[in-house]
Coordinates of all heavy atoms in Angstrom, one line a residue:
F485 N 4.2 6.1 -18.2 CA 3.0 5.6 -18.8 C 1.8 5.7 -17.9 O 0.7 6.1 -18.3 CB 3.1 4.1 -19.2 CG 2.1 3.6 -20.1 CD1 2.1 4.0 -21.5 CD2 1.0 2.8 -19.7 CE1 1.2 3.6 -22.4 CE2 0.1 2.4 -20.6 CZ 0.1 2.8 -21.9
N486 N 2.0 5.5 -16.6 CA 0.9 5.7 -15.6 C 0.4 7.2 -15.6 O -0.8 7.5 -15.5 CB 1.3 5.3 -14.2 CG 1.4 3.8 -14.1 OD1 0.7 3.1 -14.8 ND2 2.2 3.4 -13.1
F487 N 1.4 8.1 -15.8 CA 1.0 9.5 -15.8 C 0.2 9.8 -17.1 O -0.8 10.5 -17.0 CB 2.3 10.3 -15.9 CG 2.1 11.8 -16.2 CD1 1.6 12.7 -15.3 CD2 2.3 12.3 -17.5 CE1 1.3 14.0 -15.6 CE2 2.0 13.6 -17.8 CZ 1.5 14.5 -16.8
F488 N 0.5 9.2 -18.2 CA -0.3 9.4 -19.4 C -1.7 8.9 -19.2 O -2.6 9.4 -19.7 CB 0.4 8.7 -20.6 CG 1.5 9.6 -21.2 CD1 2.8 9.1 -21.3 CD2 1.3 10.9 -21.7 CE1 3.8 9.8 -21.9 CE2 2.3 11.6 -22.2 CZ 3.5 11.1 -22.3
Q489 N -1.8 7.7 -18.6 CA -3.1 7.1 -18.3 C -4.0 8.1 -17.5 O -5.2 8.3 -17.8 CB -3.0 5.8 -17.7 CG -2.4 4.7 -18.5 CD -2.2 3.4 -17.8 OE1 -2.1 3.4 -16.6 NE2 -2.1 2.3 -18.5
I490 N -3.4 8.6 -16.4 CA -4.2 9.5 -15.6 C -4.5 10.8 -16.3 O -5.6 11.4 -16.2 CB -3.4 9.8 -14.3 CG1 -3.3 8.5 -13.4 CG2 -4.0 10.9 -13.4 CD1 -2.4 8.6 -12.3
A491 N -3.5 11.3 -17.0 CA -3.7 12.6 -17.8 C -4.8 12.4 -18.8 O -5.6 13.3 -19.0 CB -2.4 13.0 -18.5
L492 N -4.8 11.3 -19.5 CA -5.9 11.0 -20.4 C -7.3 11.1 -19.8 O -8.2 11.6 -20.3 CB -5.7 9.7 -21.2 CG -6.8 9.4 -22.2 CD1 -6.7 10.4 -23.4 CD2 -6.5 8.0 -22.7
S493 N -7.4 10.4 -18.6 CA -8.6 10.4 -17.8 C -9.1 11.8 -17.5 O -10.2 12.2 -17.5 CB -8.5 9.6 -16.6 OG -8.3 8.2 -16.9
L494 N -8.1 12.7 -17.1 CA -8.4 14.1 -16.7 C -8.8 14.9 -18.0 O -9.7 15.7 -17.9 CB -7.2 14.7 -16.1 CG -6.9 14.2 -14.6 CD1 -5.5 14.8 -14.2 CD2 -7.9 14.7 -13.7
L495 N -8.1 14.6 -19.1 CA -8.5 15.4 -20.3 C -9.9 15.0 -20.8 O -10.6 15.9 -21.4 CB -7.4 15.0 -21.4 CG -6.1 15.8 -21.3 CD1 -5.1 15.2 -22.2 CD2 -6.3 17.3 -21.5
K496 N -10.3 13.8 -20.6 CA -11.6 13.4 -21.0 C -12.7 14.2 -20.2 O -13.8 14.4 -20.7 CB -11.9 11.9 -20.7 CG -11.1 11.0 -21.7 CD -11.4 9.5 -21.4 CE -10.7 8.6 -22.4 NZ -10.8 7.2 -22.1
R497 N -12.3 14.7 -19.0 CA -13.2 15.5 -18.2 C -13.2 17.0 -18.6 O -14.0 17.7 -18.2 CB -12.9 15.4 -16.7 CG -13.1 14.0 -16.2 CD -12.4 13.8 -14.8 NE -12.6 12.5 -14.3 CZ -13.6 12.2 -13.5 NH1 -14.4 13.1 -13.1 NH2 -13.8 10.9 -13.1
G498 N -12.2 17.3 -19.5 CA -12.1 18.7 -19.9 C -10.7 19.2 -19.7 O -10.0 18.8 -18.8
P499 N -10.2 20.0 -20.6 CA -8.8 20.5 -20.5 C -8.5 21.3 -19.3 O -7.4 21.3 -18.8 CB -8.7 21.3 -21.8 CG -10.1 21.7 -22.2 CD -10.9 20.5 -21.8
Y500 N -9.6 22.1 -18.8 CA -9.3 22.9 -17.6 C -9.1 22.1 -16.4 O -8.3 22.4 -15.5 CB -10.6 23.8 -17.4 CG -10.8 24.8 -18.5 CD1 -11.9 24.7 -19.4 CD2 -9.9 25.8 -18.8 CE1 -12.1 25.6 -20.4 CE2 -10.1 26.7 -19.8 CZ -11.2 26.6 -20.6 OH -11.3 27.5 -21.7
S501 N -9.7 20.9 -16.3 CA -9.5 20.0 -15.2 C -8.1 19.5 -15.2 O -7.4 19.5 -14.1 CB -10.5 18.8 -15.2 OG -10.2 17.9 -14.2
F502 N -7.6 19.2 -16.3 CA -6.2 18.7 -16.4 C -5.2 19.8 -16.1 O -4.3 19.6 -15.3 CB -5.9 18.2 -17.9 CG -4.5 17.8 -18.1 CD1 -3.9 16.7 -17.6 CD2 -3.7 18.6 -19.0 CE1 -2.6 16.4 -17.8 CE2 -2.4 18.3 -19.2 CZ -1.8 17.2 -18.6
I503 N -5.4 21.0 -16.7 CA -4.4 22.1 -16.5 C -4.4 22.5 -15.0 O -3.3 22.7 -14.4 CB -4.8 23.3 -17.4 CG1 -4.6 22.8 -18.9 CG2 -3.9 24.5 -17.1 CD1 -5.1 23.9 -19.9
A504 N -5.6 22.6 -14.4 CA -5.7 23.0 -13.0 C -5.0 22.0 -12.1 O -4.3 22.4 -11.2 CB -7.1 23.2 -12.6
T505 N -5.2 20.8 -12.4 CA -4.6 19.7 -11.5 C -3.1 19.8 -11.6 O -2.4 19.7 -10.5 CB -5.1 18.3 -12.0 OG1 -6.5 18.2 -11.9 CG2 -4.4 17.2 -11.2
V506 N -2.5 19.9 -12.8 CA -1.1 20.0 -12.9 C -0.5 21.2 -12.2 O 0.4 21.1 -11.4 CB -0.7 20.0 -14.4 CG1 0.8 20.3 -14.5 CG2 -1.1 18.7 -15.0
I507 N -1.1 22.4 -12.5 CA -0.6 23.7 -11.9 C -0.6 23.7 -10.4 O 0.3 23.9 -9.7 CB -1.3 24.9 -12.5 CG1 -1.0 25.0 -14.0 CG2 -1.0 26.1 -11.7 CD1 -1.8 26.1 -14.7
I508 N -1.8 23.3 -9.8 CA -2.0 23.4 -8.4 C -1.2 22.3 -7.7 O -0.6 22.6 -6.6 CB -3.5 23.4 -8.0 CG1 -4.2 24.6 -8.7 CG2 -3.6 23.4 -6.5 CD1 -5.6 24.7 -8.3
T509 N -1.1 21.1 -8.2 CA -0.4 20.1 -7.6 C 1.1 20.4 -7.6 O 1.8 20.3 -6.5 CB -0.5 18.7 -8.3 OG1 -1.9 18.4 -8.3 CG2 0.2 17.6 -7.7
V510 N 1.7 20.9 -8.7 CA 3.1 21.3 -8.7 C 3.3 22.5 -7.8 O 4.3 22.5 -7.0 CB 3.5 21.7 -10.1 CG1 4.9 22.3 -10.1 CG2 3.5 20.5 -11.0
G511 N 2.4 23.5 -7.8 CA 2.5 24.6 -6.9 C 2.5 24.3 -5.5 O 3.3 24.8 -4.7
S512 N 1.5 23.5 -5.1 CA 1.5 23.1 -3.7 C 2.7 22.2 -3.3 O 3.1 22.3 -2.1 CB 0.2 22.3 -3.4 OG 0.0 21.2 -4.2
G513 N 3.2 21.5 -4.2 CA 4.4 20.7 -3.9 C 5.6 21.6 -3.6 O 6.4 21.4 -2.7
I514 N 5.7 22.7 -4.4 CA 6.8 23.7 -4.2 C 6.6 24.3 -2.8 O 7.6 24.5 -2.1 CB 6.8 24.7 -5.3 CG1 7.2 24.1 -6.6 CG2 7.7 25.9 -5.0 CD1 7.0 25.0 -7.8
L515 N 5.4 24.7 -2.5 CA 5.1 25.3 -1.2 C 5.5 24.3 0.0 O 6.1 24.7 1.0 CB 3.6 25.7 -1.0 CG 3.2 26.9 -1.8 CD1 1.7 27.1 -1.6 CD2 3.9 28.2 -1.2
A516 N 5.2 23.0 -0.2 CA 5.5 22.1 0.8 C 7.0 22.0 1.0 O 7.6 21.9 2.1 CB 5.0 20.7 0.4
I517 N 7.8 22.0 -0.2 CA 9.2 21.9 -0.1 C 9.8 23.1 0.6 O 10.7 23.0 1.5 CB 9.8 21.8 -1.5 CG1 9.4 20.5 -2.1 CG2 11.3 21.9 -1.5 CD1 9.8 20.3 -3.6
M518 N 9.2 24.3 0.3 CA 9.7 25.5 0.9 C 9.4 25.5 2.4 O 10.2 25.9 3.3 CB 9.0 26.7 0.3 CG 9.5 27.0 -1.2 SD 8.5 28.3 -1.9 CE 8.9 29.7 -0.9
H519 N 8.2 24.9 2.8 CA 7.8 24.9 4.2 C 8.7 24.0 5.0 O 9.2 24.4 6.0 CB 6.3 24.4 4.2 CG 5.8 24.2 5.6 ND1 5.6 25.3 6.5 CD2 5.5 23.1 6.3 CE1 5.1 24.8 7.6 NE2 5.0 23.5 7.5
Y520 N 8.9 22.8 4.5 CA 9.7 21.9 5.2 C 11.2 22.2 5.1 O 12.0 22.0 6.1 CB 9.5 20.4 4.7 CG 8.2 19.9 5.1 CD1 7.2 19.7 4.1 CD2 7.9 19.6 6.4 CE1 5.9 19.2 4.5 CE2 6.6 19.1 6.8 CZ 5.7 18.9 5.8 OH 4.4 18.4 6.2
G521 N 11.6 22.8 4.0 CA 13.0 23.2 3.8 C 13.4 24.3 4.7 O 14.5 24.5 5.1
G522 N 12.4 25.2 5.0 CA 12.7 26.3 5.9 C 12.7 26.1 7.3 O 13.1 26.9 8.1
R523 N 12.3 24.9 7.7 CA 12.4 24.5 9.1 C 13.9 24.3 9.5 O 14.6 23.6 8.8 CB 11.6 23.2 9.4 CG 10.1 23.4 9.3 CD 9.4 22.1 9.6 NE 8.0 22.3 9.6 CZ 7.1 21.3 9.9 NH1 7.6 20.1 10.1 NH2 5.8 21.5 9.9
K524 N 14.2 24.8 10.7 CA 15.6 24.6 11.2 C 15.6 23.3 12.0 O 14.9 23.1 12.9 CB 16.0 25.8 12.1 CG 16.2 27.1 11.3 CD 16.7 28.2 12.2 CE 17.0 29.4 11.4 NZ 17.5 30.5 12.3
S525 N 16.5 22.5 11.6 CA 16.7 21.2 12.3 C 17.6 21.5 13.5 O 18.5 22.3 13.4 CB 17.4 20.2 11.4 OG 16.6 19.9 10.3

Side-chain angles (χ1 to χ4, degrees):
F485 195 76
N486 287 337
F487 169 77
F488 278 124
Q489 291 175 338
I490 293 172
L492 181 65
S493 296
L494 288 169
L495 283 171
K496 287 180 178 178
R497 295 166 177 264
Y500 296 111
S501 176
F502 171 72
I503 294 171
T505 299
V506 172
I507 292 176
I508 299 182
T509 301
V510 172
S512 56
I514 293 173
L515 284 175
I517 293 172
M518 294 173 61
H519 176 67
Y520 288 110
R523 289 182 176 178
K524 292 185 178 180
S525 301

